[in-house]
Each structure stands twice: as structure tokens, then as C-alpha cells.
Amino acid sequence: MSAHPDSNLYPEASGPAKALVDRRRPEQPLKLYAGWLCPGLVPTLSTPADPHPRPLYESTVVLEYLEEAYPAHKPYFLPEDAYERARARIWIDYVTSRIIPSFHRFLQYQPADGSAQNTDAGLDQIRQEFLNHLKAWTKEMHTEGPFFLGEDIGLPDLVLAPWAVRLWVFDDFKNGGLGIPREGEGGSDEEIWSRWRTWLAAVESRRSIKETTSDLAHYLPIYKRYADNTAQSELAKATRAGRVVL
């Protein structure tokens, strides 16, 4: 048996995600290869081409390809206006370059000396960094929404959604929890957090999110490894080393 810390990861999707996989088993011109916890270069999309299909990977790249390859399908993931498309890409980049790395620094945080001394101070600092990134992103949302760009879900939402729907990990594994104020307790930031709650509720209620979610019981062991800073994914190793994933 392998001694790799992640070797006993549950091997396949479960719950609603497994049901979706089973319904989509017949061959299609487009085929998505996706790990239920996204290890490696997944999702990878096999795109139709002669004489052989061609692969694309990285979530944002795949989504933009689908937008451009199938323009008749609406709603669009990005605005039609050139300026608004560019602005949306700024905040997509903010998710990948600020929010997601901060999420993992928060989740993997351990005191530098390996002891419990000063744990709360360091954890509070890194928690606040993460919350500040969420606030900065939320301030740029469409005022009514419910999604980032307005009434319809778009690429900024889809890039952040996989992490947003797993914010429970902080309440489960980190002393003091996530730290987002309860409704009515946000003080001067209440309007921002109210808008965040509206956005998150809209994302969590989408069928596409629900049907691509596995059973909670299978997420817990792997996220505990992240919280203990023992996970061995490339993302976890990059976070420990203070670098971006290459």
C-alpha cells in the first residue's frame, strides 16, 4: 500500500456528482475529464477535431473556449461590451491570484515554530487577509445581481464558486472559524457582507453547483490534511513554499 498521504483519497465522485457522472457516460463530441477534488491538470476537455480530439485544460481556459466555440448558447459567461469583458477579466484574475491563494494560506496555516504560541494572532492576521480579499471582490459586484455581473451567472462567479461553496472548511478546521459576520452584525461592512450573502445564496442554489457536489463525508478527510498542512497536492506544496502553482 502506498505511503503517500493522499493515497487513500476516495476514488470517485459520490452523491449528486456521481449521479450526474452516471447520466453522462454515453460518448459525446465534447468529453470532460474531471477529478471530483481536482488533482492534477483537471478539468481537461477533449474537444472535437479531425483526425483526433484535442485537449484543453485549466478551468478558466475551458470556460472561455466553450463561450467562443458555441456562441449560440446563452447566457454568455462574459459581457459583450469590450470594456466590461476586460473588467470582468480583472476580477477573474483577482480570484485566481488573490482569493484562491489566500484561501489556502488560511486553511493550511500553522504556527511557524510548530507550537500553539501566538497561533491566534497569526491565524487572525491571515483570516483577515482572506476576508479583505472577499470584500474587495464583492465591492465590484453588480449592485443588484444576484451574480457578479448581474442577473445571469458569469465567468467571475464560476471561477470562485468551487471555493465559495466550501467555506465551511474554516468553521470545521480552524480556530475561530471563517469570520464573516452574521447578518446584521457587519458594522460598517454590513452592506458588503449582505451583498456577499446574496451572491453566495444564488451560487449555492444553482442546479449546476448542487449536481457537481460530492458527499460531505468524502471531502472531510482531504480538507483535514490541508488544515493540518500535510496535503501533498501541487497546490498544497506551492502554498507551503510561498509560491504560485506552476
Side-chain angles (χ1 to χ4, degrees):
M1 180 178 293
S2 171
H4 192 286
D6 295 339
S7 61
N8 62 345
L9 179 67
Y10 194 75
E12 61 183 9
S14 59
K18 178 64 161 58
L20 179 64
V21 169
D22 289 343
R23 293 198 303 271
R24 296 290 187 264
R25 287 193 184 279
E27 287 294 322
Q28 301 290 337
L30 282 171
K31 183 182 290 187
L32 182 68
Y33 297 89
W36 73 271
L37 201 67
C38 292
L41 295 176
V42 294
T44 296
L45 186 70
S46 175
T47 67
D50 290 326
H52 304 293
R54 295 176 296 184
L56 287 173
Y57 59 88
E58 300 293 356
S59 299
T60 306
V61 172
V62 168
L63 289 168
E64 291 212 33
Y65 165 80
L66 293 172
E67 174 97 321
E68 295 171 7
Y70 301 93
H73 288 259
K74 296 183 180 180
Y76 295 135
F77 290 151
L78 288 168
E80 295 185 68
D81 177 79
Y83 173 82
E84 292 300 330
R85 287 173 73 90
R87 179 180 171 276
R89 287 191 172 103
I90 290 174
W91 294 101
I92 291 166
D93 177 76
Y94 193 88
V95 172
T96 58
S97 65
R98 305 291 200 284
I99 296 178
I100 294 173
S102 182
F103 177 106
H104 283 274
R105 285 193 295 271
F106 183 9
L107 183 57
Q108 292 179 230
Y109 174 81
Q110 301 291 320
D113 61 1
S115 72
Q117 292 181 353
N118 300 320
T119 299
D120 288 344
L123 184 59
D124 287 346
Q125 180 179 353
I126 208 160
R127 178 182 8 251
Q128 193 57 53
E129 173 196 280
F130 178 63
L131 296 181
N132 286 343
H133 285 318
L134 291 185
K135 287 194 295 182
W137 195 77
T138 302
K139 287 178 182 178
E140 298 300 321
M141 289 183 186
H142 186 278
T143 54
E144 296 179 5
F147 297 106
F148 189 92
L149 298 172
E151 182 178 355
D152 296 316
I153 199 165
L155 199 53
D157 311 298
L158 296 171
V159 172
L160 182 55
W163 281 265
V165 299
R166 297 175 189 176
L167 292 176
W168 53 264
V169 298
F170 299 110
D171 291 329
D172 273 36
F173 296 122
K174 289 299 172 183
N175 185 35
L178 174 60
I180 290 180
R182 295 178 181 177
E183 186 173 359
E185 298 179 3
S188 60
D189 291 331
E190 178 60 27
E191 185 176 351
I192 298 171
W193 290 124
S194 176
R195 181 66 183 90
W196 168 263
R197 286 188 288 269
T198 297
W199 176 84
L200 185 59
V203 167
E204 290 179 329
S205 67
R206 282 189 63 84
R207 175 184 168 189
S208 58
I209 296 295
K210 293 178 179 179
E211 291 190 351
T212 53
T213 299
S214 286
D215 290 334
L216 178 62
H218 299 308
Y219 288 108
L220 290 171
I222 186 61
Y223 277 114
K224 186 177 188 307
R225 294 190 188 98
Y226 278 93
D228 293 341
N229 203 22
T230 59
Q232 294 300 313
S233 70
E234 292 305 311
L235 179 56
K237 289 187 283 188
T239 300
R240 274 194 291 277
R243 59 176 174 79
V244 298
V245 179
L246 300 177

